[in-house]
Amino acid sequence: MGRPGLVLEVDERTPPLLVHRGEGFGLQRFPLGSRVVYPPDSLPPLPDVTGAIREALQDPLDSEPLPELLRPGMRLTVAFDDISLPLPPMRTPDIRQRVLEQVLELAARRGIEDVELLVANSLHRRMTAKEIQRAVGERVFRSFWPERLRNFDAEDPDDLAYIGQTDRGEDVEISKRAAQSDLLVYVNINLVAMDGGHKSVPVGLGSYRSLKHHHNVQTMLNSRSYMDPPHSALHGSAARMGRFLAQHLKVFTIETSLNNETFPKQFGFLNRREWEWSVKDQAGYLAAKKANEMAPSRIRRDVFRRITAPYGVTGIHAGETEAVHRRTLDNVHRQQKVEVDGQSDILVVGLPYISPYNVNSIMNPILVQCLGLGYFFNLYLNRPLVRPGGAMILFHPTPWEFHAVHHPSYIDFFDEVLSETTDPTAIEAKFEQQYAMDPWYVHLYRNSHAYHGVHPFYMWYWGAHAMDHLGDVIFVGADRKAVSRMGFRTASTFSDALEMAGETVGGSPSITYLHAPPLALAEVR
């Protein structure tokens, strides 16, 4: 069993602390009395993953065993999480591959011929053939691609089925192939508490008509936090949709959870607490930092893209969606939860090089905002780590740079929408429909590898709760023009940022540094 998370107060003996800065990192001294929230050590992995998968399928929760649900002549669809999980990508074989191989082997034994595999990419970009092959493995890829293994197309009118409305009037529209199947098997990876459960099928296989009911400003403002499903309006809406779907579609859910082994050996110092660094860790840090600083940005990006995480699998559960997800959340909490007393005036985070939406791509300014204000701010239960009206300081260079293939509507959103207003409610009212229905963005989503035209809006809304809660947002070492376009402030150094934040929160502020990744989920009492 790994050690629990740690809350440390900085004193004279505390060494400089490691801070992520996009495609880089560095050591930073924090003021005396600052509070540091460290994630727990990694939990031990399951000793026999293959056996654990087999046991989950044969002895599921609140469901018949999977072999008993399979019968000759049936229509079987198997959907799985897309490239946005896990982060960084895990070493092969991916857990999705290992689960899929056993599910498909059972189907073959039962003589099922009508089998299709769907990437549950929703309004995300289509995965490339190479990316899909890496996730599912060569054997599955070779057997099913491309006729029976494909990306879900949320804009294909011939492959969407309108199921109806929930008791709150929420439209439920998903993949027709999935909706018309005798059985839908969903294979999930739970990296954080926000993932999985009823968020998998209605969202991963849902259309814009469905997603707009919970991916909107009002829902985000009433989700406290996104990582706390019982208190999240987003999850409440998805759960209503999932329960409604369960009346029309048999779903067999398979969820997996991972430990905190986020970085490989050459970056092993990133997994450990600074005062515990060995001589080898110190040398590794200095060598990696020097090489990183000397390399051009393109080379740095290529180096980080090649990082694969040596995650261990901590849990595999299968069966009825809600019963499964309760066990999965227990596993996630065991790995990530840290008890923290009270809120601070200032929250400090260092943002890494990767988010769910720039895998094999570029972290553009909107995604930086989403990662910081949408994800890291919301890594809490009960209350945010920072008090209402407090300040958040983020480390990231935030270059004015976009991937033209993956994020075309982001470019226009940044240039056209944010130059007029940064207010999420005003943006939603004036611009969302135009971008969501734009035929060129729809074409690029369907035929290239572009995120849907509405996607940058959702990323902006993702930060709405934090924007409403905070009194100030300051980026350290960032592109001033890019940050200013988003309505935030920049500082050249951390000390400058603290001085600026003091203007908002007052003198002698309390400071919390969320030391991540690896990930921690702060239970703030």
Side-chain angles (χ1 to χ4, degrees):
M1 178 69 69
R3 293 174 303 175
L6 175 67
V7 180
L8 169 79
E9 182 174 312
V10 173
D11 60 22
E12 294 85 353
R13 298 166 297 173
T14 305
L17 305 177
L18 189 137
V19 179
H20 291 264
R21 307 166 190 250
E23 291 157 359
F25 41 80
L27 294 176
Q28 179 68 59
R29 286 204 173 274
F30 279 72
L32 298 179
S34 297
R35 183 173 64 178
V36 187
V37 179
Y38 282 95
D41 285 352
S42 282
L43 295 173
L46 296 175
D48 179 9
V49 173
T50 300
I53 297 170
R54 184 181 304 114
E55 181 179 351
L57 302 184
Q58 297 284 350
D59 188 20
L61 301 169
D62 294 353
S63 170
E64 306 95 320
L66 182 59
E68 295 182 15
L69 297 174
L70 303 173
R71 65 181 188 276
M74 76 183 305
R75 171 178 279 200
L76 172 65
T77 299
V78 184
F80 56 93
D81 284 342
D82 72 353
I83 199 171
S84 60
L85 290 167
L87 302 172
M90 69 188 304
R91 284 181 182 171
T92 55
D94 191 291
I95 187 59
R96 284 165 291 202
Q97 171 188 336
R98 303 180 73 170
V99 173
L100 287 170
E101 286 178 347
Q102 290 207 35
V103 170
L104 294 172
E105 184 176 334
L106 289 173
R109 288 179 182 174
R110 297 291 288 173
I112 301 173
E113 296 181 354
D114 188 354
V115 181
E116 284 197 19
L117 281 70
L118 288 177
V119 181
N121 51 286
S122 186
L123 304 183
H124 298 172
R125 71 170 176 87
R126 295 188 311 130
M127 291 174 66
T128 66
K130 184 177 179 180
E131 290 167 340
I132 293 175
Q133 182 175 354
R134 189 184 188 284
V136 305
E138 182 180 355
R139 186 159 64 117
V140 172
F141 184 83
R142 189 173 60 245
S143 299
F144 289 88
W145 177 267
E147 288 81 11
R148 296 186 295 152
L149 167 59
R150 58 185 173 86
N151 292 283
F152 166 59
D153 184 348
E155 286 287 352
D156 182 0
D158 295 326
D159 190 29
L160 290 175
Y162 183 73
I163 311 300
Q165 290 186 333
T166 69
D167 57 3
R168 299 279 187 93
E170 297 145 320
D171 297 294
V172 181
E173 184 176 61
I174 67 167
S175 156
K176 181 183 289 187
R177 167 69 202 193
Q180 295 182 349
S181 295
D182 297 299
L183 178 66
L184 171 64
V185 175
Y186 195 100
V187 180
N188 149 274
I189 298 176
N190 251 80
L191 183 67
V192 293
M194 184 184 71
D195 303 327
H198 282 303
K199 189 169 171 288
S200 292
V201 174
V203 177
L205 297 178
S207 68
Y208 172 65
R209 185 177 185 179
S210 279
L211 266 64
K212 66 182 181 181
H213 288 287
H214 39 67
H215 280 58
N216 59 66
V217 177
Q218 193 59 37
T219 299
M220 296 303 179
L221 289 174
N222 286 285
S223 296
R224 310 189 185 271
S225 87
Y226 310 151
M227 304 296 169
D228 192 3
H231 301 99
S232 165
L234 167 68
H235 288 83
S237 177
R240 287 189 293 273
M241 291 183 177
R243 291 167 187 150
F244 179 77
L245 269 174
Q247 302 172 26
H248 303 268
L249 172 64
K250 178 66 175 178
V251 179
F252 187 87
T253 296
I254 306 169
E255 293 193 343
T256 64
S257 55
L258 306 175
N259 65 15
N260 258 352
E261 286 296 321
T262 304
F263 298 101
K265 284 185 178 180
Q266 61 267 39
F267 293 103
F269 57 88
L270 296 175
N271 288 321
R272 289 184 277 278
R273 298 162 186 169
E274 292 83 357
W275 67 89
E276 297 173 340
W277 283 3
S278 65
V279 173
K280 184 177 180 181
D281 288 329
Q282 296 175 40
Y285 163 77
L286 291 172
K289 186 173 185 296
K290 182 177 180 180
N292 189 67
E293 290 174 347
M294 292 177 62
S297 61
R298 181 183 60 82
I299 300 299
R300 289 201 303 270
R301 185 172 295 137
D302 287 344
V303 169
F304 279 99
R305 281 179 183 173
R306 288 196 293 270
I307 289 179
T308 56
Y311 295 119
V313 178
T314 60
I316 301 169
H317 301 286
E320 190 274 328
T321 301
E322 295 187 15
V324 167
H325 197 54
R326 283 192 291 270
R327 296 285 187 89
T328 303
L329 282 179
D330 287 344
N331 288 333
V332 173
H333 287 168
R334 281 195 306 121
Q335 177 57 87
Q336 296 179 1
K337 194 159 68 172
V338 184
E339 293 184 355
V340 180
D341 287 325
Q343 298 174 303
S344 293
D345 298 311
I346 299 173
L347 172 62
V348 182
V349 299
L351 299 181
Y353 63 95
I354 195 168
S355 82
Y357 316 110
N358 76 307
V359 179
N360 299 327
S361 189
I362 293 172
M363 178 87 85
N364 65 58
I366 299 167
L367 294 181
V368 173
Q369 177 274 152
C370 177
L371 181 62
L373 302 186
Y375 282 87
F376 275 61
F377 173 86
N378 282 280
L379 284 170
Y380 72 86
L381 301 173
N382 299 331
R383 299 189 292 166
L385 279 162
V386 57
R387 66 167 173 80
M392 188 170 182
I393 297 175
L394 308 101
F395 286 80
H396 196 281
T398 322
W400 190 313
E401 188 178 6
F402 294 81
H403 195 294
V405 174
H406 294 163
H407 302 119
S409 64
Y410 279 71
I411 298 171
D412 296 336
F413 179 92
F414 200 72
D415 288 341
E416 299 172 359
V417 176
L418 293 185
S419 62
E420 181 170 327
T421 179
T422 59
D423 177 62
T425 302
I427 288 172
E428 182 180 50
K430 184 171 181 180
F431 294 103
E432 180 182 313
Q433 283 295 305
Q434 171 191 335
Y435 275 67
M437 303 300 179
D438 185 279
W440 179 241
Y441 296 146
V442 171
H443 168 78
L444 293 176
Y445 163 80
R446 297 195 65 192
N447 298 290
S448 180
H449 294 279
Y451 283 82
H452 194 278
V454 80
H455 202 260
F457 290 79
Y458 290 171
M459 298 302 94
W460 196 253
Y461 305 162
W462 217 248
H465 171 32
M467 293 181 210
D468 182 62
H469 181 89
L470 295 167
D472 204 355
V473 176
I474 303 167
F475 284 81
V476 178
D479 183 308
R480 289 184 180 274
K481 289 184 178 179
V483 171
S484 176
R485 173 61 58 89
M486 296 189 291
F488 309 127
R489 300 204 289 169
T490 55
S492 299
T493 66
F494 183 38
S495 59
D496 287 347
L498 289 173
E499 185 176 343
M500 293 165 62
E503 300 167 2
T504 301
V505 303
S508 302
S510 55
I511 301 168
T512 292
Y513 172 42
L514 180 61
H515 200 297
L519 295 174
L521 181 64
E523 186 174 28
V524 184
R525 296 175 295 202

